[in-house]
Amino acid sequence: GDLVRLGPELLPEHRGQTAVVTQLADAHCTVAILDSDLRKVVGECWPNFTDVAVESRVGRLGSSVLVQGLKSSRTQWCNGLSGFVVAHPKQGHPCFIQKPGSEHPTLVFCVKLDSPPPEGQRQVLMDVKFLMPFQRDHCSKETRTQKK
């Protein structure tokens, strides 16, 4: 789920591209190469770890994230909610959805929300552009109260 920049030792058409890690091996990984919007998968390759640089860990399994920037009236309810990146029960991690009429699959991450509204979904699929790293306060409410 990490977003990585592909290095100079790869094929010319892959150099400098951003990709998402889909599998890990001992000395290399499998990546899905993304378009400039970081949404559509436009290719795949198998670089050595020395040929990639991590740009973002926001999509890593277990990453704590904050959802923000949604503008659609159908999804705005998610803005400001926090959660964890999890594997989708059927699609695994990361997820690629095929939208009707689109030639390329779209990258999304499954987020298990910490406090979904009673009528809302507990897990949502989100574009990476709507996910921000979220630093959790590891102190319990009781600990914070005792420090005052």
Side-chain angles (χ1 to χ4, degrees), residues 113-131:
L113 299 172
D114 293 328
S115 301
E119 70 285 353
Q121 299 166 259
R122 298 179 93 52
Q123 291 186 3
V124 292
L125 295 177
M126 286 288 149
D127 243 325
V128 69
K129 69 181 177 183
F130 300 119
L131 299 177

Side-chain angles (χ1 to χ4, degrees), residues 57-58 62-68 80-84 114 131-139 144:
R57 291 181 175 87
V58 75
S63 290
S64 186
V65 294
L66 180 69
V67 179
Q68 64 181 26
L81 296 180
S82 62
F84 292 92
D114 293 328
L131 299 177
M132 299 296 297
F134 181 66
Q135 186 66 36
R136 294 181 179 275
D137 180 3
H138 294 289
C139 296
R144 287 193 306 267

Side-chain angles (χ1 to χ4, degrees), residues 39 67 69-79 81 97 99-100 108 113 117 119-121 123-127 130:
R39 297 192 71 226
V67 179
L70 294 161
K71 294 184 171 106
S72 164
S73 60
R74 202 178 88 244
T75 58
Q76 279 184 336
W77 65 270
C78 291
N79 284 330
L81 296 180
I97 56 175
K99 294 186 177 181
V108 292
L113 299 172
E119 70 285 353
Q121 299 166 259
Q123 291 186 3
V124 292
L125 295 177
M126 286 288 149
D127 243 325
F130 300 119

Side-chain angles (χ1 to χ4, degrees), residues 2-6 21 49 52-58 60:
D2 286 1
L3 294 179
V4 296
R5 175 78 54 189
L6 301 177
V21 176
F49 292 131
V52 298
V54 175
E55 289 191 330
S56 172
R57 291 181 175 87
V58 75
R60 184 178 285 191

Side-chain angles (χ1 to χ4, degrees), residues 83-96:
F84 292 92
V85 175
V86 297
H88 186 274
K90 293 182 182 174
Q91 301 295 321
H93 178 75
C95 299
F96 300 98

Side-chain angles (χ1 to χ4, degrees), residues 105-117:
T106 300
L107 169 69
V108 292
F109 292 105
C110 186
V111 177
K112 182 177 182 180
L113 299 172
D114 293 328
S115 301

